[in-house]
């Protein structure tokens, strides 16, 4: 079984390596991301660093970022 899994406690991934690529003027509520050794990406809520981590493949993250850049996620803002 993979020791890194979707929904695992983010604290189990360690405290080092988390970055806030989508930080903004939102009162400190940010999404943090960490590139894992195998290329996958972990994402967590900065306000809950011990909460669950969502684990995405490189392809999933690329599709999300490309879609967001193309405006496909704009519905989330309205």
């Amino acid at each position: 079984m993979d020791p890194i899994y979707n929904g695992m406690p983010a604290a189990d991934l360690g405290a080092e390596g988390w970055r806030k690529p989508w930080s903004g003027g939102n009162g400190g509520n940010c999404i943090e991301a960490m590139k894992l050794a195998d290329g996958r990406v972990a994402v967590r809520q900065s306000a809950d660093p011990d909460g669950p981590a969502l684990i995405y493949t490189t392809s999933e993250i690329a599709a999300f970022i490309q879609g967001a850049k193309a405006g496909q996620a704009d519905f989330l803002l309205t």
Side-chain angles (χ1 to χ4, degrees):
M1 181 163 142
D2 189 355
I4 297 176
Y5 60 92
N6 201 28
M8 69 182 294
D12 289 354
L13 294 170
E16 299 298 318
W18 291 99
R19 298 178 65 182
K20 295 180 181 179
W22 301 287
S23 182
N26 57 9
N29 293 318
C30 305
I31 294 174
E32 296 177 320
M34 174 196 293
K35 184 93 176 209
L36 302 174
D38 65 3
R40 291 181 292 173
V41 175
V43 177
R44 72 179 182 184
Q45 169 54 271
S46 66
D48 187 14
D50 296 328
L54 300 177
I55 310 297
Y56 296 99
T57 66
T58 303
S59 298
E60 290 170 329
I61 287 293
F64 174 77
I65 292 171
Q66 291 166 0
K69 285 181 176 180
Q72 295 173 358
D74 288 355
F75 72 94
L76 296 170
L77 301 175
T78 59

